[in-house]
C-alpha cells in the first residue's frame, strides 16, 4: 500500500476473487469508520462473476443459470471479469447523506479519464454510470454501485477496458432492458490494456475523492 495523498491510501491488487475482495473491503471499512486507517482506494480486476445489488429482480439474473453473488450495494446486477478495471473507494464522506453527489463525482472522474483516450463519455440523467450517447446510440462503458454505512463508502465502479462482453448477454445489465454495453477497446477500435488505463483513472479519482472525503 502506498500513499496517494495525505489522506488517501492506494492499493493495487491485480486479479482478486470477488468474495476475497469483499472481505477486504469490509475490513478496511471497519477500520476507516473507527479512524484507524486512512481513506483507501482499491484498484483491481476480478475473475468472471455476476454480482447483484439490493434492487435486482430474479428476472434480471443470468438466463443460463450461472451463480450470482448477492451484495449490499446500490444498483442492480452486473458482470465483472478480466479486462475490467474495478475501483473500490472506501472513504469517509464530508456529507454522508449526499450519496448521489458522491456517485456523480466518480462518474465525472471516469469521464475525464476517458477523454484523455479520446472517448467522449457523458452522464445520463436518471441512470448511474458512464455512457456514450451519439449517432451510434446509447452505450454503457462503466457501472457504479455504492453503499454508505457509518459515513464511509463501500463498493464502487467497473470500467470496461477490454473485457469479454458476451457475459452481459445473459442478464438485464443494471436493470435496463436492451442496454448496450461497450468497452474502451471497442470504442477505440484497437487493443488497450488495464496497465495503460489504470494510472490515468487513478489520477482523476484521487482528485475527485479529495473533494468529497475527510
Amino acid at each position: 500500500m502506498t500513499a496517494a495523498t495525505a489522506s488517501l491510501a492506494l492499493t493495487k491488487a491485480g486479479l482478486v476473487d470477488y468474495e476475497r475482495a469483499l472481505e477486504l473491503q469490509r475490513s478496511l471499512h471497519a477500520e476507516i469508520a473507527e479512524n484507524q486507517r486512512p481513506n483507501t482506494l482499491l484498484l483491481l480486476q476480478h475473475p468472471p462473476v455476476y454480482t447483484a445489488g439490493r434492487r435486482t429482480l430474479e428476472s434480471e439474473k443470468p438466463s443460463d443459470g450461472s451463480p450470482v453473488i448477492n451484495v449490499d450495494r446500490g444498483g442492480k446486477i452486473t458482470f465483472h471479469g478480466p479486462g475490467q478495471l474495478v475501483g473500490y473507494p472506501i472513504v469517509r464522506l464530508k456529507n454522508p447523506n449526499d450519496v448521489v453527489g458522491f456517485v456523480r463525482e466518480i462518474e465525472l472522474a471516469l469521464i475525464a479519464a476517458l477523454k484523455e483516450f479520446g472517448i467522449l463519455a457523458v452522464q445520463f440523467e436518471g441512470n448511474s454510470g458512464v455512457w456514450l450517447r451519439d449517432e451510434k446510440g446509447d452505450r454503457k462503458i462503466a457501472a457504479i454501485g455504492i453503499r454508505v454505512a457509518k459515513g464511509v463508502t463501500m463498493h464502487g465502479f467497473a470500467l470496461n477496458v477490454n473485457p469479454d462482453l458476451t457475459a452481459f448477454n445473459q442478464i438485464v445489465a443494471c436493470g435496463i432492458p436492451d442496454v448496450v454495453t461497450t468497452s474502451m477497446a471497442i470504442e477505440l477500435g484497437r487493443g488497450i490494456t488495464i496497465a495503460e488505463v489504470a494510472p490515468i483513472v487513478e489520477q482523476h479519482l484521487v482528485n475527485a475523492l479529495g473533494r468529497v472525503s475527510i
Side-chain angles (χ1 to χ4, degrees):
M1 182 178 296
T2 57
T5 69
S7 59
L8 180 68
L10 176 68
T11 296
K12 300 178 184 179
L15 190 68
V16 181
D17 179 78
Y18 183 86
E19 291 180 304
R20 187 162 76 86
L22 185 57
E23 291 177 2
L24 175 59
Q25 281 192 75
R26 288 171 174 158
S27 175
L28 292 170
H29 181 278
E31 293 182 6
I32 292 168
E34 296 297 326
N35 291 312
Q36 296 176 353
R37 176 182 291 270
N39 295 327
T40 299
L41 171 63
L42 302 177
L43 288 177
L44 44 79
Q45 298 178 69
H46 291 307
V49 62
Y50 290 103
T51 70
R54 293 186 300 265
R55 297 186 298 109
T56 303
L57 304 176
E58 286 300 315
S59 60
E60 296 165 345
K61 292 184 177 181
S63 57
D64 64 354
S66 294
V68 175
I69 298 175
N70 296 308
V71 291
D72 56 359
R73 58 165 171 79
K76 293 203 172 190
I77 192 164
T78 194
F79 172 79
H80 297 307
Q84 188 183 69
L85 179 62
V86 177
Y88 296 129
I90 307 174
V91 300
R92 182 183 296 279
L93 295 179
K94 291 179 182 177
N95 184 354
N97 296 317
D98 189 15
V99 181
V100 173
F102 177 69
V103 170
R104 297 295 170 261
E105 286 287 348
I106 295 176
E107 290 170 347
L108 290 172
L110 294 176
I111 288 168
L114 287 166
K115 187 175 181 180
E116 294 203 30
F117 292 91
I119 298 174
L120 301 181
V122 297
Q123 292 170 311
F124 190 167
E125 186 174 355
N127 295 282
S128 66
V130 177
W131 297 75
L132 281 75
R133 308 192 70 195
D134 53 31
E135 67 280 357
K136 298 179 183 178
D138 296 340
R139 305 168 321 275
K140 193 168 190 177
I141 198 167
I144 298 175
I146 298 295
R147 175 176 183 254
V148 178
K150 298 182 179 180
V152 178
T153 64
M154 275 186 62
H155 304 291
F157 69 88
L159 172 64
N160 296 326
V161 178
N162 61 357
D164 178 358
L165 297 179
T166 58
F168 284 96
N169 297 334
Q170 301 297 328
I171 60 174
V172 181
C174 303
I176 305 173
D178 302 319
V179 66
V180 176
T181 304
T182 191
S183 68
M184 294 180 70
I186 289 173
E187 297 301 325
L188 293 172
R190 66 172 177 85
I192 187 168
T193 67
I194 294 288
E196 290 177 70
V197 176
I200 306 300
V201 170
E202 173 191 325
Q203 175 187 350
H204 288 284
L205 276 173
V206 166
N207 292 337
L209 296 176
R211 291 191 292 271
V212 298
S213 64
I214 55 175

